[in-house]
Amino acid sequence: MNRILSFSCMRPFIFFFSIGLFLTGCSTGGQHKKKSDSCALKKEGQVIPLISGIQVIRFVFENGLRLLVVENRSSPTFAYQSWFRVGSRDEEPGRTGLAHLFEHMMFKETKNLKDGEFDRLLESAGAQGENAFTSRDYTAYIQELPQDQLELIVRAESDRMHHLVINQHAFETEREVVQNERRFRTENSPDGLMNQELFELAFTKHPYHWPIIGYEKDLNQMNSEDARLFYLKHYSPNHATIVVVGDVCASQVYSLAQKYYGTLPPQNFTPSNPLNEPIQTNPRKKQLKLNIQVEKLLVAYPIPAFTHPDIPALQVLRSLVGLGKSSRLNQALIETGVASSVDLSELDDKDPSLLIIAVDLQHQKRATQAESIILKEFDRLAKNSVSQHELERAKNKINFDTYSGLGSNFQLAQFLGSLESIAGDFVVGMRQIEKIQSVTAQEVQAVAQRYLNLKGRTVIIGVPK
Amino acid sequence: MKKPEFSILSFSPFLGQFFGLIFFLLPTLSGAIETAFEQDPSLPIVYLNIAIQSGSVSDPPGQAGLTNFMGEMLLRGTSSQTKKQIDLALDQMGASLEVETRLEAMIFRGAVLSSQLKPFLELLHEILCRPSFTGREIKKLKAEITSLLQEELGHDHSLTYRKFNHFLFQDHPYGKSILGQISELQQLTHTSLLSHYESLIKSSLILVLATGDTSLEQISGWSQQLEKTLSSRRTAESTPSVKLQTPQDSNHRRLLLIDKPDRTQTQIYGGQIGVHLTDPDYFPLYIGNHAFGGPSFSAILMTQIRVKRGWSYGANSSFRFGTQPRSWSFHLFPAEKNTPQALEYTLHLIENLKEKGITAAQFEFAKESLIKSSGFMYNTPRLRIENKLLEKTLNLPQGFMQSYATELKKIQLSQVNAALKKFLKPDQMAIAVLGTAKNLTESLTRSTQLSPDKIQVVSYTSD
């Protein structure tokens, strides 16, 4: 959920990222390796090779703050992102939408900066893409800056991590902004309405049940005290990872982080694990009448959390089913004239979640027909092993997506920050990705049998009013 | 839109010392394909853009959508490969190939793992030189685009922008939909596609712009081979001559109310004809717009509409550009209950901007922000290639996109306010509002100060 709507670079409800192969022996990235003499690494830093010559330097501070730095001299700029391990999964019933609404509040007044000064300070320093987003599992604050503005952003971000001032008037104004965001993303959007219904139907106990943006009623009954308590619980150094990628020296970033964040106290609060979702034993289905001209379909299957051992095989399955025009569902639905588009969700949730297939039907075609085709394709996957050729193609598509998703400081920072947030540690996330290369046809068939279960599916159909 | 459809940030002259990368624009021989390349070995991937310097404004009368349709058809079969075989080959390589049609350019955007560049280039050559335009694929694509146009009716924002654009430009080609209209799409034939292909896919209109983990020799060698093949096949004798007139504003304010049931929120676009990028007033207006409509959280619109009043999640203004002056528009999407006052207040702010201009503090802030953030225009090889593409397709002087920081530094407050006074025409603006008409018509009449005969109400499903 973005703080501001920017259609040219708008991100969806779920924050997507590409995952793929981390190889050694690929083409080396010269820009990533250059380091000046004045940039000697502090002994506290741990160097972890990532991909294509890229090295991540990791620091952990006494107060629990984690810092990841990638030095990249290709331009005199850097990306600076603050990732907090809190999202809508950490909310309570009756307080839905608080994580996202609080994200908006983080741009307000602090003890050291008046309302609006944070934005002005950064913008006048040449900041680019200053924004934030909230997912089910995490909240991130992002921006890029010219190389000489490192201290400014470390100071400003550490300030709002600990010295935010939350007043009722600002809270009420921002709540109205969020209500407008909700009207835009859900209330007046067929896709948003269907997405909300899907999660409400598929999850009965787990907090993934409610929308990230929250319910209108819940938003209206919250006040600034709710926000203040949320801040105290979740916004502290031990709940955050700072990711810096670009024309910086890791040693300098470390020193500045020590100076500005080092004295901030950790919070003792430990978020409790959400309730486990009971195993779904019967299909769930709902039809919505919407202001649309062509039918829409969402089919979802329960899948495990991102760190589960079955995820690499599910990633390959997802690729061969839905990535690229030659994928099975593209061929079965679009090439046959049934659908105009097919999309599959990412498998990147911290807790057990859903593999979602979203289909826009062609004129006068029925969503029920598309559903039957999907079930047939999944049955075929469960019964027959895929060929080596198809397996290789699925992995190539994943590799391509990975590389094309790492082309800028911003993208690389986002990649690391999201892995850190959903896997608990980006190294753990990388291991999951590395395993994709060794997935076999038998493993793909096994996960198809295990997870593409007819009884476990949830279906939402959108039809014209 | 928060931003124009392409980035118009500037970059600092000092950036050059950091790149250390290779950039070439090969000398233009008669009829030869211009090629630009920047090496970037940081990741094992190559990006290739094949730009055709003609876009949907070249659609013949009665065949709206032809250029986009022809571009899509090129990816749907050659004389030796079916669409399915092409799709399989691309996925097997780990590659993507899409076509993007703009008003004045069509761009084939390819990306491939560098280890697979050779077969990718061979396939791309065949796609561009030996299309099949089979009846089966024509029929399929018509059905897909028709469905996409119908699906768009569920997306209030993009639908409002498309209708606003048409309302602003009326019959001018800039007002046409790139995808076309359902009725006219049905008229497209193999003959019309082939004829349009022969007119547009020719060496003199093609640019090759690449970056990534490969060499200049490989890219320029491929360009030369493409040029050789294209020159040996039949092409139309002349390119369809599209002499675009300069679009004109209406002589009065107008409102288009797009009626859609059950809306709790409206989408509002308003604006006027813009300026050309080389207009002497452009850089003063660029600063003026930044102060007024962003993309900045400190801009006037954002502060007044969102931060202070909470009326809309987004509130911004921006320019769009073409070889002719295109548009300047504002966008907001308030709750239905706040729509009349939000629109009225926005129009008041624009009138104020015209009469009083921006303050010295607003000017200094906008100018400083733009100059200091200018490095982000050129901080990746892909952006630098993209800028080169813009310069070529919008007929800009070479190096124009690199001149921003220098040009911005020269601008004074008095120039900004004089330019705003001359440029803004609040009394002649076109405004499009998507919402539920029965709840809005009367209040919008008051907030726009328009008589009912200046308000046009159309159904959201109208073509």
Side-chain angles (χ1 to χ4, degrees):
Chain A
M1 211 71 58
N2 286 25
R3 174 186 174 220
I4 183 177
L5 185 68
S6 166
F7 289 100
S8 55
C9 59
M10 192 170 74
R11 275 170 271 282
F13 282 88
I14 306 165
F15 176 53
F16 293 107
F17 70 96
S18 303
I19 54 176
L21 171 66
F22 289 81
L23 288 174
T24 54
C26 295
S27 161
T28 54
Q31 290 86 30
H32 288 283
K33 285 188 163 178
K34 292 174 188 169
K35 191 189 287 184
S36 66
D37 293 340
S38 62
C39 209
L41 183 61
K42 296 271 182 187
K43 65 179 189 307
E44 293 84 351
Q46 178 190 6
V47 179
I48 303 165
L50 185 69
I51 186 173
S52 197
I54 300 170
Q55 293 184 329
V56 183
I57 304 156
R58 178 165 63 183
F59 303 90
V60 180
F61 293 82
E62 279 185 16
N63 58 13
L65 179 73
R66 305 177 197 173
L67 169 66
L68 305 179
V69 183
V70 177
E71 298 178 347
N72 176 12
R73 304 275 185 272
S74 64
S75 77
T77 63
F78 65 94
Y80 192 101
Q81 302 184 353
S82 307
W83 291 74
F84 291 89
R85 293 179 286 280
V86 58
S88 64
R89 76 190 276 280
D90 301 294
E91 295 165 347
E92 296 165 5
R95 293 287 181 274
T96 67
L98 182 55
H100 169 250
L101 176 51
F102 183 77
E103 172 223 296
H104 282 236
M105 295 303 296
M106 279 286 277
F107 292 85
K108 298 293 182 183
E109 188 181 348
T110 73
K111 283 181 185 169
N112 300 303
L113 295 172
K114 291 178 187 165
D115 191 7
E117 255 189 88
F118 180 89
D119 289 330
R120 290 185 66 82
L121 196 64
L122 263 61
E123 287 174 20
S124 61
Q128 176 80 356
E130 185 207 350
N131 216 328
F133 47 81
T134 306
S135 84
R136 295 185 175 83
D137 303 323
Y138 51 77
T139 308
Y141 299 84
I142 58 173
Q143 55 267 307
E144 292 183 86
L145 285 143
Q147 174 248 18
D148 58 357
Q149 300 295 335
L150 180 62
E151 183 158 6
L152 172 81
I153 187 64
V154 179
R155 190 175 68 231
E157 283 289 15
S158 64
D159 181 41
R160 67 174 173 175
M161 185 186 279
H162 192 66
H163 298 301
L164 197 70
V165 174
I166 300 168
N167 71 60
Q168 184 62 21
H169 175 70
F171 182 87
E172 285 171 7
T173 308
E174 214 53 43
R175 176 169 57 198
E176 193 52 35
V177 171
V178 170
Q179 292 284 20
N180 275 315
E181 185 177 352
R182 190 188 54 76
R183 289 182 187 104
F184 174 74
R185 294 192 187 278
T186 308
E187 208 167 280
N188 293 271
S189 162
D191 294 320
L193 285 169
M194 289 180 66
N195 199 50
Q196 180 172 315
E197 290 284 352
L198 178 75
F199 280 83
E200 286 174 352
L201 202 56
F203 291 95
T204 56
K205 303 283 185 197
H206 190 280
Y208 286 172
H209 171 83
W210 55 75
I212 298 165
I213 201 150
Y215 295 117
E216 180 180 12
K217 186 182 162 196
D218 290 353
L219 290 168
N220 283 338
Q221 70 185 17
M222 284 188 279
N223 58 39
S224 59
E225 183 59 12
D226 293 299
R228 196 183 66 79
L229 292 174
F230 189 85
Y231 181 56
L232 288 177
K233 277 184 185 174
H234 297 288
Y235 280 69
S236 60
N238 52 319
H239 293 142
T241 301
I242 309 299
V243 187
V244 188
V245 179
D247 189 15
V248 295
C249 290
S251 57
Q252 192 193 1
V253 181
Y254 172 79
S255 299
L256 287 170
Q258 182 65 53
K259 177 179 174 185
Y260 289 103
Y261 291 98
T263 55
L264 303 185
Q267 286 291 349
N268 289 328
F269 175 73
T270 305
S272 56
N273 282 325
L275 291 171
N276 287 333
E277 186 62 28
I279 293 171
Q280 188 173 335
T281 52
N282 286 301
R284 299 170 190 165
K285 202 164 186 173
K286 191 165 183 180
Q287 180 173 290
L288 302 180
K289 290 189 175 176
L290 303 166
N291 278 309
I292 52 176
Q293 307 298 311
V294 289
E295 293 192 5
K296 287 171 173 284
L297 171 71
L298 294 176
V299 183
Y301 293 87
I303 53 158
F306 177 75
T307 50
H308 190 278
D310 281 342
I311 282 292
L314 278 166
Q315 297 283 11
V316 175
L317 180 147
R318 173 181 175 270
S319 175
L320 66 89
V321 164
L323 289 191
K325 290 177 185 170
S326 73
S327 63
R328 291 193 178 197
L329 288 183
N330 266 268
Q331 290 294 315
L333 289 167
I334 298 179
E335 291 304 313
T336 54
V338 173
S340 59
S341 74
V342 183
D343 290 300
L344 270 71
S345 62
E346 301 276 342
L347 313 181
D348 60 358
D349 283 322
K350 188 171 185 171
D351 297 327
S353 187
L354 299 173
L355 169 65
I356 306 168
I357 300 101
V359 183
D360 287 333
L361 277 295
Q362 287 204 21
H363 181 52
Q364 293 183 335
K365 301 292 181 187
R366 295 287 163 259
T368 47
Q369 184 186 355
E371 186 190 355
S372 300
I373 291 170
I374 291 168
L375 298 187
K376 193 174 157 190
E377 282 299 321
F378 286 175
D379 185 54
R380 198 157 68 95
L381 265 175
K383 285 180 177 162
N384 306 305
S385 181
V386 298
S387 70
Q388 283 304 311
H389 201 60
E390 191 175 9
L391 191 67
E392 182 191 332
R393 190 163 65 240
K395 291 178 184 178
N396 280 348
K397 284 184 286 186
I398 294 172
N399 294 343
F400 172 77
D401 277 1
T402 301
Y403 288 123
S404 56
L406 297 176
S408 67
N409 293 337
F410 168 78
Q411 287 175 305
L412 184 51
Q414 196 168 275
F415 179 78
L416 291 169
S418 57
L419 280 187
E420 186 82 357
S421 302
I422 57 171
D425 178 337
F426 83 93
V427 176
V428 175
M430 278 171 54
R431 297 271 144 72
Q432 281 294 75
I433 293 164
E434 284 170 348
K435 288 175 190 163
I436 289 172
Q437 299 312 309
S438 56
V439 167
T440 64
Q442 289 71 32
E443 287 170 324
V444 173
Q445 188 176 2
V447 293
Q449 290 166 353
R450 199 169 300 143
Y451 296 104
L452 304 180
N453 183 332
L454 278 178
K455 289 181 179 172
R457 76 185 194 281
T458 303
V459 179
I460 303 290
I461 289 178
V463 297
K465 272 186 176 172
Chain B
M1 301 289 285
K2 182 181 168 204
K3 290 181 182 177
E5 66 181 3
F6 54 82
S7 169
I8 49 169
L9 293 167
S10 182
F11 78 101
S12 305
F14 68 87
L15 275 172
Q17 64 183 295
F18 283 86
F19 296 147
L21 299 170
I22 308 161
F23 188 87
F24 290 96
L25 191 60
L26 294 181
T28 309
L29 306 172
S30 178
I33 291 172
E34 281 190 81
T35 302
F37 173 70
E38 178 172 331
Q39 193 172 44
D40 175 19
S42 60
L43 289 169
I45 196 162
V46 177
Y47 294 94
L48 194 65
N49 298 308
I50 315 298
I52 314 297
Q53 295 178 83
S54 185
S56 65
V57 297
S58 69
D59 290 349
Q63 297 184 65
L66 175 62
T67 304
N68 175 68
F69 199 96
M70 187 270 287
E72 292 287 347
M73 281 300 298
L74 288 180
L75 308 183
R76 288 176 172 243
T78 70
S79 55
S80 65
Q81 297 201 55
T82 62
K83 177 178 187 294
K84 186 171 183 176
Q85 287 171 319
I86 292 172
D87 292 342
L88 273 169
L90 288 170
D91 286 343
Q92 198 72 40
M93 287 175 211
S96 71
L97 181 61
E98 306 287 344
V99 62
E100 174 194 339
T101 304
R102 296 178 177 181
L103 286 169
E104 295 176 278
M106 180 164 62
I107 306 153
F108 295 89
R109 294 193 183 275
V112 62
L113 294 172
S114 46
S115 61
Q116 300 295 314
L117 180 60
K118 190 167 180 287
F120 179 78
L121 289 175
E122 285 169 2
L123 179 62
L124 187 54
H125 182 277
E126 185 172 332
I127 283 170
L128 291 170
C129 298
R130 284 186 279 277
S132 57
F133 299 137
T134 65
R136 179 173 182 272
E137 288 300 333
I138 292 172
K139 187 179 171 186
K140 275 169 56 189
L141 185 57
K142 281 181 182 176
E144 283 176 37
I145 295 180
T146 299
S147 300
L148 283 175
L149 287 168
Q150 289 174 324
E151 206 269 332
E152 193 209 17
L153 299 177
H155 298 277
D156 293 358
H157 170 247
S158 59
L159 179 63
T160 308
Y161 180 72
R162 182 162 64 81
K163 288 190 178 288
F164 163 74
N165 201 49
H166 180 67
F167 189 57
L168 173 66
F169 290 106
Q170 302 283 313
D171 294 328
H172 191 279
Y174 280 171
K176 289 197 296 190
S177 161
I178 287 168
L179 283 179
Q181 293 177 303
I182 292 173
S183 56
E184 294 187 9
L185 281 172
Q186 303 314 314
Q187 309 306 316
L188 302 183
T189 63
H190 179 274
T191 306
S192 58
L193 284 169
L194 191 60
S195 169
H196 208 53
Y197 167 77
E198 289 171 351
S199 297
L200 295 190
I201 309 298
K202 51 172 58 171
S203 301
S204 57
L205 290 181
I206 293 178
L207 301 167
V208 175
L209 305 112
T211 182
D213 186 20
T214 183
S215 65
L216 172 68
E217 289 72 27
Q218 184 144 20
I219 299 300
S220 62
W222 182 80
S223 293
Q224 286 160 14
Q225 188 61 42
L226 180 66
E227 194 271 328
K228 192 176 166 186
T229 308
L230 290 176
S231 62
S232 67
R233 65 128 170 85
R234 180 180 159 230
T235 57
E237 287 182 4
S238 62
T239 303
S241 176
V242 183
K243 294 284 182 197
L244 283 178
Q245 303 292 315
T246 302
Q248 302 294 325
D249 282 303
S250 163
N251 56 11
H252 59 269
R253 184 182 288 177
R254 299 170 292 143
L255 175 66
L256 177 71
L257 181 49
I258 306 155
D259 184 24
K260 188 170 183 180
D262 310 328
R263 298 300 90 189
T264 59
Q265 181 178 55
T266 60
Q267 288 282 335
I268 304 175
Y269 265 101
Q272 61 173 75
I273 304 302
V275 292
H276 192 263
L277 278 162
T278 55
D279 188 302
D281 279 341
Y282 169 62
F283 283 105
L285 287 173
Y286 180 47
I287 292 176
N289 178 68
H290 190 80
F292 179 73
S296 158
F297 279 100
S298 308
I300 295 167
L301 256 186
M302 185 61 93
T303 307
Q304 296 297 326
I305 299 293
R306 170 173 158 155
V307 179
K308 286 192 176 171
R309 293 171 175 81
W311 280 343
S312 177
Y313 175 45
N316 46 61
S317 65
S318 62
F319 285 98
R320 285 184 171 232
F321 301 101
T323 57
Q324 294 292 325
R326 213 169 136 195
S327 65
W328 175 82
S329 61
F330 64 87
H331 175 223
L332 46 150
F333 38 109
E336 186 188 68
K337 64 182 178 183
N338 298 127
T339 294
Q341 55 196 136
L343 178 56
E344 184 175 0
Y345 196 61
T346 300
L347 291 170
H348 165 73
L349 290 172
I350 294 170
E351 283 160 5
N352 217 36
L353 183 68
K354 179 181 175 69
E355 293 310 314
K356 297 180 183 169
I358 58 174
T359 65
Q362 289 165 338
F363 167 75
E364 290 301 336
F365 177 72
K367 182 176 171 179
E368 188 183 11
S369 300
L370 288 170
I371 291 172
K372 285 192 175 172
S373 65
S374 58
F376 293 101
M377 181 179 192
Y378 258 50
N379 72 340
T380 67
R382 291 181 71 187
L383 282 175
R384 295 192 280 277
I385 284 288
E386 199 66 25
N387 288 337
K388 190 57 65 180
L389 191 155
L390 287 173
E391 288 177 3
K392 299 299 292 183
T393 55
L394 296 182
N395 298 335
L396 300 172
Q398 190 170 341
F400 177 83
M401 303 305 283
Q402 302 180 19
S403 70
Y404 266 67
T406 309
E407 294 299 326
L408 287 168
K409 282 177 186 167
K410 296 177 195 166
I411 307 299
Q412 303 296 316
L413 173 62
S414 57
Q415 290 172 275
V416 172
N417 287 339
L420 287 168
K421 200 173 194 68
K422 181 177 146 195
F423 170 73
L424 289 170
K425 299 172 185 170
D427 295 335
Q428 293 170 256
M429 282 186 177
I431 301 162
V433 178
L434 184 146
T436 305
K438 65 181 182 188
N439 303 335
L440 290 167
T441 310
E442 197 179 319
S443 55
L444 287 178
T445 305
R446 285 196 298 276
S447 61
T448 55
Q449 299 173 336
L450 285 172
S451 57
D453 65 306
K454 295 289 188 296
I455 298 180
Q456 188 182 339
V457 183
V458 297
S459 165
Y460 78 107
T461 56
S462 64
D463 207 1

